[in-house]
Amino acid sequence: MDIVQATRTTIKDNQLTDWLSDYPWLTGCLGNPNASVWFIGENPSLNGVINVNKRSPETEKTENLQWNSHAGDKLLREAMTDAGLKQGPVELNEGWNCYITNAIKEPEIVTERNLKKRNSDYWKVQAELWLPILQQQIDNGDPKVLVLLGGQSEKIIHYMIKLGLKVPATEKIHHYSYIMMRPESGTNRGPRHPDRIAEFKASIKSIAKKYSR
């Protein structure tokens, strides 16, 4: 069973909102699963999904719309390209030497999710639900490292590991949206500060150098 079919089964079995019917391009993964470097986000932003879906012509509604809608996505793709984890124009779906997916596949509105997950039971239940899908992805791919994008992705993956998720090495870096959209905690460096952008790109270069085959 491929990842999309497995996701559809999970949606049906748990009576979740079937976002794949409205957004079939939202497969929850992008790139080359046989690459050594994988990036793991928390979950898709429903607002972002809705907005990019509205902006895109029907002929262009492919999986490449994922991680390709705002300044943070562009930074991630630029950093991957600078590190040799992607070739070609950053916005196109080609030349992937890495893989991107989410720990939680279900899209949610970020502000609503942030309120819900103040109760850790909320995201822990989701982690239990989606663990088998992520394990299937890992087992069918060939990662050497999971790069955890931000603190919440780190919490979810570490909780999944406690539940039995079998993973290779893990590395945690800042989330690209944090770099581009939020001020840095404890400093005067605001969103899109050039030094923060440079540090983010350097973190991905370091990981690529360490783990690329």
Side-chain angles (χ1 to χ4, degrees), residues 101-212:
T101 191
N102 286 306
I104 308 301
K105 311 306 182 187
E106 182 178 11
E108 288 188 280
I109 294 173
V110 173
T111 53
E112 294 180 1
R113 177 175 178 80
N114 286 343
L115 290 174
K116 293 175 185 175
K117 70 187 184 188
R118 289 179 182 177
N119 181 349
S120 63
D121 288 344
Y122 179 72
W123 61 262
K124 286 180 177 178
V125 168
Q126 289 184 309
E128 293 165 11
L129 178 66
W130 292 107
L131 186 158
I133 304 295
L134 182 58
Q135 188 68 73
Q136 178 181 329
Q137 289 176 276
I138 292 170
D139 292 346
N140 291 341
D142 194 20
K144 290 176 65 178
V145 63
L146 305 184
V147 183
L148 312 180
L149 294 166
Q152 193 63 31
S153 174
E154 182 182 36
K155 285 182 183 179
I156 292 169
I157 294 300
H158 284 182
Y159 180 68
M160 285 182 171
I161 291 170
K162 288 182 180 179
L163 295 177
L165 182 73
K166 302 296 187 296
V167 303
T170 63
E171 301 267 0
K172 184 250 183 178
I173 63 173
H174 287 305
H175 196 285
Y176 46 89
S177 292
Y178 173 67
I179 303 297
M180 298 301 282
M181 300 177 188
R182 293 173 55 196
E184 186 175 45
S185 176
T187 75
N188 293 320
R189 302 196 302 183
R192 306 189 186 209
H193 191 287
D195 290 344
R196 294 178 68 196
I197 290 172
E199 289 164 7
F200 179 81
K201 290 184 175 182
S203 69
I204 292 183
K205 281 185 178 179
S206 176
I207 288 169
K209 182 178 181 180
K210 183 176 180 181
Y211 292 101
S212 291

Side-chain angles (χ1 to χ4, degrees), residues 23-58:
Y23 312 108
W25 52 268
L26 190 62
T27 60
C29 53
L30 187 65
N32 177 11
N34 292 314
S36 58
V37 179
W38 286 29
F39 294 87
I40 312 292
E42 180 182 356
N43 78 309
S45 163
L46 183 56
N47 276 344
V49 168
I50 292 170
N51 289 336
V52 72
N53 194 68
K54 287 179 179 178
R55 292 198 306 265
S56 303
E58 290 297 327

Side-chain angles (χ1 to χ4, degrees), residues 9-20:
T9 298
T10 300
I11 290 170
K12 181 179 178 182
D13 289 349
N14 294 276
Q15 299 180 321
L16 304 178
T17 300
D18 184 8
W19 68 87
L20 281 171

Side-chain angles (χ1 to χ4, degrees), residues 64-81:
N64 190 50
L65 291 179
Q66 300 173 111
W67 295 280
N68 202 15
S69 64
H70 56 66
D73 294 338
K74 183 178 180 182
L75 172 61
L76 179 63
R77 287 184 178 229
E78 285 179 351
M80 291 171 174
T81 301

